[in-house]
Amino acid sequence: MIEKKPSTTVETIVFIVLIVLTLVTYKVGETDMSGIFVSLGVFAIALFKGALISEHFMQLKYASGIWRWLILIWLILLGIVIYIAFTV
Amino acid sequence: MSKKQLMTTKITKYPPGEIIIWLFIMAELMVFGLFFAAYAVTRIDNIELFELYQQNLDTTAALYNTIALLSSSYFVVRSVIAIKHNQQQDSFKWMVLAIIMGLVFIIIKTDEFAHHVSNGITLSTNTFYMFYLSLAFFHYLHVILGLIILSVIARNINKGAYSAKEYTNVETGASYWHMVDLVWLILFPLVYVM
Amino acid sequence: MKYTSQMVAKPYFIAAIGLFVGQILFGIIMGLQYVIGDFLFPEIPFNVARMVHTNLLIVWLLFGFMGASYYLVPEEAETELHSPILAKLMFWIFLIAGAATILGYLLVPYATLAEITMNDLLPTMGREFLEQPTITKIGIVIVALAFLFNIGMTILKGRKTVINLVLLIGLVGLAVFFLFAFYNPDNIVLDKMFWWFVVHLWVEGVWELILGSLLAFVLIKTTGVDREVIEKWLYVIIAMALITGLIGTGHHFFWIGTPGYWQWWGSIFSAMEPIPFFMMTVFAFNMVNKRRREHPNQPAVLWALGTGVMAFLGAGVWGFLHTLSPVNYYTHGTQITAAHGHMAFYGAYVMIVLAIISYAMPMLNGRKAANSAKSQIVEMWSFWLMTISMVFITLFLTGAGILQVYLQRMSDNPLPFMVVQDKIELFYWLREGAGVVFLIGLIVYIASFFIGKDEAEPNEA
C-alpha cells in the first residue's frame, strides 16, 4: 500500500535554517572580526544547530522524559565548559 | 500544542530506533565531549599557538563538508519519513543521496589529511595539531562507520526488508548518522573558527 | 547436552579448576612473603612465586576459554565438533607443556631455564607475564592454531550465530596478539610498547569479546530471552569495548618514552573503558529480569550476574581510578595497580569461566540441567565467599596503595620504597587474611561438585 506524499515542510525549513546558519558562521570566520564575543556567538549558533538536529532530525521532540533531554543536556554542558574555558 | 498537532504527532516514551543505539550515542558523545573540553582547557594556556595554527586550516573545505553532512542528514530524514509511509523506492533514493553526500565528506576530508601529511604535520608537531588531527580523524572514522551502517540499510530497503510497519532499523541507523553530523557541527566552529 | 563432542570440554574445565587451586596457593605464599620476606626462601623466592601466580592464572583461564569454546561452539553451530580427537590431543599437549613450564620455574633458576630451553636462539624470556621459555611460547601458538582450526571448521560447517562469530573473532585476536610475545626489539621503548600489545590488548581488548560472547550464551540459555535481543546488545558492547580498549592501550604509554599525545589519547579513551562493562551489567540484569523461564541451575545465573557487577567494579571503576595521566603519574606501579588487577581479573575473567563451568558441568556429568539443590546451595556459598573476600583483598590493597602513593611519592619528605613497605604492613596482613578466606571459598566451590551427587535436580519452576 502506497500512502500519499507525507508532509516534510518542517524538516525542509529546519534544513534551510541549518545551511544559512552555517554560512553565517563561515562568513564570520572569513572576516577579520575577532574577539571573545564573536567566538562565543559562533559557538552559540553551533549549539542552536545541535538543538535543531536533536529536536527535528533525531526526532527527540517526540520522546518523553529524560530521553528528550539527552542531547540538549550534552549541548548545555558543553556550552558551559566552552564558555568558562574561553572567558577565564 | 494545538489539538491538531496532538492528533497528528505521537509522543512516545522512547526515542526512535533501538534503545541500545542511544546508549551507544551517549557513550560516543561523552568521548567527544571530553575531547572538546580537553581542547578548550588546553587552549587557555596556549591561546596564541592555537590561533596561529588555526589559520592554517582550510575553512572553505570545512564549510563544504558541513554542507555535505547537513544535506546527508536531511536526506536521511527524508528517507525515514518515506519508509514510514511505505514508499520504499523514495526511501531508497533518499538514502543513496545521503550516502553520496557522506562520500563527498570523506573525499574532501581525505584531501585535507593528505595535504597535512605532505606538509609533514603529525600529532607531535604541536599541541594544536595534536588536538585537531585527533578530533578530525576520530570523527572521520565515525563517518566511515556511519556510511557502512547506512549502506547496509540502503541495501535492505532496496530488498524490501522495511515497511511502514517495520522500520526500527532504519531509525536506528538514522539516529547514529545524525549524531555524527551533530559532532561535526560542534567541531567545525570550535576548531576551525573560534 | 546436545552433541556428544561437547564432552571434550570436561577435561579442560577440570584442568582449569586444578590450576586455579595452584594459582591461589601461590598467591597465599606470596602474600605471606610480603610480610615475612624470607618465608620459603630459598626454595620459592618471591619473584618465582609471583611468576607462577600470574602464569597459572593466564593458563587456567585459557583452559577455561578453550573448554567453554568446545562446549558452546557445537551447540551454537548445531553440529558436532570438527575433530574431538584433535581437541583431546591438544589438551594433553597444553597441560604437559604448562606443567613442565611451571616445574621449570620452580626447580631450576630462571637463568638456567633460559639456557636449557635455548632462549638465546630466539630471546623472548624475562618480560613480566611473558616469562615462558621460547619453546613453551611456540607450543602455545601450535595449540592455539590447532584449537582455532578445530573451532573455525566447526563454525564454518554449522549454523553461524553472532555469539559464535564474536567468540571466533576474540579467539583469533587472542592468537594474533600473542605473536607480539616473539617480538623483542632492542629499543626498550618499543619493547615495552609491543609488550603491552599482548598484555593490554588481551585483557582490555579481545578477551572482552570472549567475555561478551560467553556471557551472552549463558544468558540465552538460562533466561530464554530472544536471541535477537541479546545479539543487539552484544554488537554494541563489542563495538564499545573495541573502541575504548584498542586506543585505551595508550594509558600504558604514559611513562615509557612514547610521544606526548598518548597522554591525551590514553586518558580520554581509557576513561571510557568502564562503559562497555557498565553495559554488560545492565545487559545481564535486564535479560534476567525479562526471563521467560526459571532455570533450575541458579548458581550459573548468579555467576553471570556477578561477572557483570564485579567486572564493572574491578575493571571499570578501579581501572578508572588511576587511568588519567595526571593521576597515574603518582599511582603507576603501586598497590593501586595490584588492587585493580585482582578485582578486574576475578570479575571479568575468573567469574565468566566459573559461570560457564557452572552452567555446563551438570550436563557434562550426565544430568539434565542442574545439580541437586544441596550442591547448588554449597556452590552459592562459594560464590559469596570468593566474591566478598576478593572485594576485601581489593579494598585492603587500595588502602595500602593510597598510603604508599602518599608516603613514597607525594608527601613533603618522600620515604624510600622499603621503608614504606614496612609502614603498610598491616594492610598486607589483612589482605593475606582475605586471601585465606578466598582459598576456603575455592575449596567449598570444589566440594560443591561432590556434594549431593546422587540426589535429583530441582524442577524447573
Side-chain angles (χ1 to χ4, degrees):
Chain A
M1 179 193 69
I2 303 284
E3 296 172 20
K4 72 173 175 54
K5 288 275 181 203
S7 162
T8 54
T9 323
V10 176
E11 286 76 11
T12 307
I13 291 171
V14 167
F15 171 58
I16 293 166
V17 170
L18 285 168
I19 294 287
V20 170
L21 289 176
T22 304
L23 290 171
V24 168
T25 311
Y26 174 72
K27 275 293 160 200
V28 171
E30 285 287 275
T31 60
D32 283 339
M33 277 203 287
S34 63
I36 188 64
F37 291 106
V38 178
S39 290
L40 291 177
V42 162
F43 201 69
I45 292 177
L47 295 179
F48 178 67
K49 283 158 72 183
L52 288 179
I53 296 274
S54 164
E55 289 284 286
H56 296 282
F57 281 13
M58 289 175 150
Q59 298 276 295
L60 289 182
K61 62 180 171 180
Y62 298 132
S64 65
I66 186 71
W67 292 110
R68 176 171 188 174
W69 287 91
L70 281 181
I71 308 281
L72 298 176
I73 290 172
W74 183 78
L75 290 168
I76 291 167
L77 287 177
L78 196 61
I80 294 171
V81 171
I82 299 293
Y83 176 80
I84 293 171
F86 274 73
T87 51
V88 284
Chain B
M1 189 178 274
S2 73
K3 204 171 182 182
K4 186 168 165 261
Q5 267 176 309
L6 266 181
M7 274 155 40
T8 51
T9 63
K10 60 178 198 298
I11 298 286
T12 53
K13 193 165 165 231
Y14 295 111
E18 293 282 344
I19 275 307
I20 186 82
I21 198 70
W22 287 94
L23 290 180
F24 195 57
I25 287 173
M26 286 325 290
E28 296 262 57
L29 286 180
M30 274 168 73
V31 181
F32 276 111
L34 265 180
F35 241 125
F36 289 146
Y39 172 91
V41 171
T42 311
R43 183 183 170 278
I44 296 172
D45 291 329
N46 303 281
I47 292 184
E48 281 175 19
L49 177 100
F50 273 49
E51 286 184 346
L52 179 66
Y53 287 96
Q54 214 165 28
Q55 289 166 9
N56 289 1
L57 300 185
D58 189 347
T59 318
T60 311
L63 170 74
Y64 293 147
N65 265 344
T66 311
I67 294 173
L69 277 194
L70 279 174
S71 324
S72 185
S73 247
Y74 172 68
F75 296 155
V76 166
V77 169
R78 296 295 301 262
S79 176
V80 171
I81 293 175
I83 199 70
K84 280 183 178 172
H85 291 79
N86 249 344
Q87 294 158 346
Q88 272 122 341
Q89 279 188 344
D90 273 10
S91 178
F92 178 67
K93 185 189 77 189
W94 286 115
M95 195 56 90
V96 169
L97 281 175
I99 293 169
I100 291 172
M101 292 318 278
L103 289 173
V104 168
F105 179 95
I106 291 290
I107 292 166
I108 295 175
K109 199 72 216 168
T110 309
D111 182 60
E112 259 188 281
F113 283 137
H115 186 68
H116 295 310
V117 170
S118 68
N119 283 348
I121 290 164
T122 67
L123 285 169
S124 302
T125 303
N126 61 43
T127 315
F128 175 76
Y129 276 118
M130 194 286 288
F131 273 108
Y132 160 70
L133 289 175
S134 300
L135 272 166
F137 188 68
F138 191 50
H139 177 264
Y140 180 82
L141 292 179
H142 282 75
V143 178
I144 292 174
L145 176 62
L147 281 174
I148 294 170
I149 294 172
L150 292 190
S151 304
V152 172
I153 292 172
R155 195 196 64 177
N156 288 347
I157 295 175
N158 199 30
K159 282 199 302 190
Y162 307 125
S163 65
K165 287 204 184 87
E166 179 47 59
Y167 54 83
T168 315
N169 287 351
V170 186
E171 284 189 331
T172 306
S175 299
Y176 186 77
W177 190 245
H178 294 318
M179 187 275 290
V180 174
D181 184 22
L182 173 72
V183 168
W184 180 256
L185 288 186
I186 304 290
L187 204 162
F188 170 49
L190 185 63
V191 178
Y192 284 81
V193 182
M194 287 170 75
Chain C
M1 204 173 61
K2 291 180 181 141
Y3 300 92
T4 50
S5 55
Q6 287 176 289
M7 279 301 285
V8 297
K10 194 171 170 180
Y12 281 89
F13 288 154
I14 294 172
I17 300 294
L19 296 171
F20 185 18
V21 175
Q23 187 218 342
I24 300 310
L25 287 176
F26 276 90
I28 302 241
I29 290 173
M30 198 186 2
L32 208 51
Q33 287 173 338
Y34 263 87
V35 279
I36 307 174
D38 54 2
F39 177 67
L40 286 186
F41 187 84
E43 286 75 21
I44 305 175
F46 176 82
N47 62 322
V48 173
R50 186 176 189 276
M51 206 156 68
V52 175
H53 181 64
T54 55
N55 278 245
L56 276 176
L57 168 69
I58 305 295
V59 172
W60 86 257
L61 288 178
L62 289 179
F63 267 109
F65 289 161
M66 289 187 191
S69 308
Y70 285 132
Y71 184 85
L72 168 166
V73 167
E75 191 157 328
E76 281 286 300
E78 296 183 333
T79 173
E80 292 286 353
L81 188 66
H82 179 70
S83 167
I85 307 278
L86 184 63
K88 279 179 203 159
L89 184 69
M90 285 305 131
F91 169 77
W92 288 108
I93 292 178
F94 195 33
L95 187 65
I96 291 167
T101 304
I102 299 292
L103 287 177
Y105 291 160
L106 291 171
L107 296 178
V108 293
Y110 192 68
T112 317
L113 183 65
E115 217 169 285
I116 48 182
T117 56
M118 291 182 285
N119 184 57
D120 49 339
L121 291 181
L122 175 62
T124 67
M125 291 174 73
R127 290 172 295 168
E128 194 184 4
F129 309 128
L130 301 180
E131 295 98 344
Q132 309 81 27
T134 305
I135 44 169
T136 306
K137 289 199 183 87
I138 294 171
I140 292 175
V141 171
I142 292 170
V143 170
L145 285 179
F147 165 72
L148 281 176
F149 168 76
N150 213 347
I151 292 293
M153 291 302 284
T154 313
I155 290 176
L156 272 182
K157 75 175 175 186
R159 182 175 67 142
K160 279 127 198 110
T161 66
V162 175
I163 291 184
N164 263 355
L165 292 179
V166 171
L167 180 65
L168 187 64
I169 296 169
L171 294 169
V172 170
L174 188 154
V176 168
F177 286 121
F178 185 69
L179 294 179
F180 287 101
F182 292 93
Y183 184 54
N184 200 1
D186 288 333
N187 180 324
I188 196 107
V189 176
L190 289 178
D191 175 46
K192 264 291 177 196
M193 194 175 123
F194 286 108
W195 178 78
W196 284 113
F197 272 46
V198 189
V199 178
H200 173 104
L201 292 180
W202 267 20
V203 295
E204 293 172 63
V206 290
W207 282 29
E208 283 182 39
L209 308 199
I210 300 172
L211 164 63
S213 58
L214 297 186
L215 183 61
F217 176 78
V218 173
L219 289 173
I220 283 184
K221 294 292 165 181
T222 54
T223 63
V225 170
D226 272 351
R227 185 174 281 278
E228 289 105 63
V229 179
I230 288 191
E231 285 173 350
K232 270 174 190 149
W233 276 87
L234 194 56
Y235 274 131
V236 176
I237 289 172
I238 293 321
M240 213 57 222
L242 285 179
I243 293 172
T244 60
L246 293 181
I247 312 178
T249 321
H251 65 179
H252 299 293
F253 297 167
F254 293 161
W255 326 114
I256 62 171
T258 49
Y261 54 82
W262 282 113
Q263 306 278 334
W264 290 102
W265 283 66
S267 297
I268 291 174
F269 284 92
S270 68
M272 297 294 137
E273 280 188 66
I275 293 173
F277 286 107
F278 180 70
M279 285 180 175
M280 255 184 247
T281 313
V282 177
F283 167 54
F285 277 88
N286 230 329
M287 296 305 116
V288 171
N289 283 338
K290 281 189 194 163
R291 67 186 177 276
R292 298 225 187 110
R293 57 184 295 206
E294 291 297 332
H295 196 272
N297 189 345
Q298 283 306 303
V301 182
L302 187 60
W303 286 113
L305 290 176
T307 198
V309 176
M310 295 298 285
F312 172 63
L313 285 178
V317 177
W318 253 262
F320 179 78
L321 282 181
H322 57 139
T323 198
L324 299 176
S325 92
V327 178
N328 195 263
Y329 180 75
Y330 292 102
T331 62
H332 69 106
T334 63
Q335 294 300 324
I336 305 263
T337 315
H340 161 59
H342 278 81
M343 201 194 246
F345 260 110
Y346 176 73
Y349 300 120
V350 171
M351 289 179 91
I352 191 62
V353 170
L354 295 186
I356 193 110
I357 291 179
S358 177
Y359 171 76
M361 256 323 198
M363 270 90 88
L364 292 172
N365 284 331
R367 284 172 169 271
K368 201 168 120 267
N371 285 326
S372 66
K374 206 189 271 176
S375 161
Q376 292 197 21
I377 289 170
V378 175
E379 190 178 341
M380 289 200 252
W381 265 96
S382 79
F383 170 92
W384 290 111
L385 278 170
M386 284 197 270
T387 304
I388 291 173
S389 59
M390 184 50 81
V391 169
F392 277 101
I393 289 176
T394 307
L395 290 176
F396 293 142
L397 286 177
T398 308
I402 292 171
L403 209 53
Q404 184 188 5
V405 168
Y406 179 74
L407 293 175
Q408 198 180 310
R409 295 181 176 170
M410 291 184 84
S411 69
D412 292 335
N413 301 302
L415 299 171
F417 176 82
M418 285 313 286
V419 176
V420 174
Q421 292 299 307
D422 268 347
K423 290 195 184 290
I424 55 182
E425 198 185 333
L426 175 66
F427 285 103
Y428 289 145
W429 275 115
L430 292 169
R431 184 271 298 268
E432 182 72 353
V436 172
V437 177
F438 190 94
L439 177 67
I440 295 169
L442 180 57
I443 294 167
V444 172
Y445 176 74
I446 293 169
S448 77
F449 289 99
F450 300 98
I451 286 171
K453 250 185 151 176
D454 308 320
E455 292 173 31
E457 46 193 275
N459 288 325
E460 184 165 340

